[in-house]
Amino acid sequence: MTGRDFAKSRLYQYVDEVGYRAFPDEKGDFTFVPWTFSSTEEKDNSIYVQGTCPQPGVSLIEEVDKFLSSGGEETHKLWLKNALVTFNRAADAALGKKLPIGVVGPAQCILCNDGSMLFLPPTLLTRAIESRSKEVYSRLLGCWIHPVLEGACSLRFTQSVCGYFIGTGSLPYDCLDTEKRMEDYRDKNFVPIQYKNPSVSPLLAQSINNYLSVGAGKQNISVKQNTDSCVIPGTEIPWEEFEKTDKLFFTNETSVKEYTLKLDKKIDTVRFVRKYSTG
């Protein structure tokens, strides 16, 4: 995006949008300190928005991408699980403190070497990723969010995607075509986590599956659904249940194949009726 396009799109108004550094304490709570980008620079016909990260760190979505592309050793799996759980517990803490952290998935998080996390300002991050190709957008952001949900509903959906990834090593809605993925949201076209990883506890499976189903069945899936109009349980995902899980980032291909055969028939029927219904 050129400087002229950047100005026309009015993205400059979000350069001062606040993100947060999250510092965990020994009691499991978090302290949040506001953070903003500090400058912009035009280079090679593109605008770069810059800010200073007080500590060296790694991008959480880059670590997720490494696993999705090539798998990972057990030590990396454990690190990735802990990082995602801490990221989501910080998001819960921010929600409790009514901070406008606007969680949009792992692409938002930089894990710093001192144990803190940087939550990048969500609007500018989202708009920047939207300017990439459809496939890149879906991989970095789209598959992690439900774009018509807001507030606590949106957060719980994104958290359930993270939980599903920890349990199975895959994403529940992984179609890179946004329109087709929206239809999958509507029809709950995903394999419940317990069929992929039978060692996931019933309590954890119920929580994740319920939140992944938020917004399903909406007649107009393109209309924003705010927190008040989207009735979901208010409880947090029981992250501690992962400690009882025998295997992480694991999928039982046999049970998935059996369930998928039934799911495909169900989805085909639902979509056939919808397409040809006159009601």
Side-chain angles (χ1 to χ4, degrees):
M1 181 180 290
T2 66
R4 178 175 295 180
D5 291 336
F6 187 80
K8 287 182 177 179
S9 67
R10 298 184 179 180
L11 283 177
Y12 61 84
Q13 65 183 306
Y14 298 113
V15 171
D16 294 328
E17 181 186 23
V18 175
Y20 290 89
R21 290 188 71 198
F23 297 86
D25 63 25
E26 296 179 353
K27 298 180 180 179
D29 198 3
F30 293 83
T31 300
F32 294 89
V33 176
W35 181 94
T36 59
F37 290 108
S38 56
S39 63
T40 59
E41 178 185 1
E42 186 170 8
K43 183 179 179 181
D44 299 328
N45 292 321
S46 295
I47 290 290
Y48 292 83
V49 184
Q50 302 170 328
T52 301
C53 187
Q55 287 282 331
V58 296
S59 165
L60 183 52
I61 193 63
E62 288 184 3
E63 295 301 317
V64 169
D65 262 357
K66 287 180 184 178
F67 178 87
L68 287 173
S69 62
S70 59
E73 301 293 333
E74 291 302 316
T75 52
H76 184 252
K77 290 180 182 179
L78 180 60
W79 180 91
L80 192 55
K81 185 268 288 186
N82 290 336
L84 285 164
V85 168
T86 303
F87 165 69
N88 282 286
R89 282 180 167 156
D92 283 326
L95 180 66
K97 299 175 188 293
K98 298 183 178 180
L99 296 176
I101 208 165
V103 174
V104 291
Q108 187 181 8
C109 182
I110 295 176
L111 299 158
C112 300
N113 290 350
D114 65 351
S116 67
M117 288 170 289
L118 174 59
F119 285 77
L120 296 170
T123 305
L124 195 58
L125 173 69
T126 299
R127 296 291 294 275
I129 296 177
E130 286 175 344
S131 69
R132 308 286 294 276
S133 70
K134 293 181 179 180
E135 290 76 14
V136 171
Y137 164 78
S138 293
R139 180 171 55 82
L140 296 181
L141 191 73
C143 289
W144 298 88
I145 64 173
H146 195 309
V148 305
L149 298 176
E150 295 180 331
C153 291
S154 176
L155 171 62
R156 293 290 184 246
F157 181 89
T158 295
Q159 288 182 318
S160 67
V161 176
C162 292
Y164 192 96
F165 174 68
I166 293 171
T168 69
S170 60
L171 302 179
Y173 299 106
D174 59 359
C175 180
L176 298 182
D177 184 303
T178 299
E179 291 185 4
K180 292 180 179 179
R181 190 172 61 251
M182 292 293 287
E183 191 173 21
D184 287 341
Y185 292 160
R186 178 177 181 176
D187 297 331
K188 294 192 291 187
N189 188 20
F190 74 95
V191 177
I193 189 172
Q194 70 272 19
Y195 288 98
K196 284 198 170 185
N197 187 345
S199 71
V200 170
S201 74
L203 177 63
L204 183 58
Q206 181 182 30
S207 177
I208 289 174
N209 292 336
N210 283 348
Y211 289 136
L212 287 175
S213 303
V214 170
K218 297 292 183 182
Q219 291 301 308
N220 189 348
I221 199 67
S222 65
V223 175
K224 285 281 187 179
Q225 303 291 328
N226 62 35
T227 305
D228 295 332
S229 65
C230 181
V231 180
I232 63 172
T235 56
E236 299 175 2
I237 291 175
W239 301 105
E240 66 279 359
E241 290 291 306
F242 276 119
E243 302 302 325
K244 306 175 185 178
T245 304
D246 293 337
K247 296 181 179 180
L248 300 175
F249 305 97
F250 170 77
T251 292
N252 184 318
E253 297 295 346
T254 300
S255 60
V256 168
K257 184 176 181 180
E258 294 173 355
Y259 184 86
T260 301
L261 289 173
K262 298 177 182 179
L263 178 63
D264 288 346
K265 291 180 180 179
K266 177 183 176 181
I267 296 299
D268 287 346
T269 299
V270 168
R271 292 178 178 176
F272 177 85
V273 172
R274 180 188 302 142
K275 182 177 180 179
Y276 294 103
S277 174
T278 57

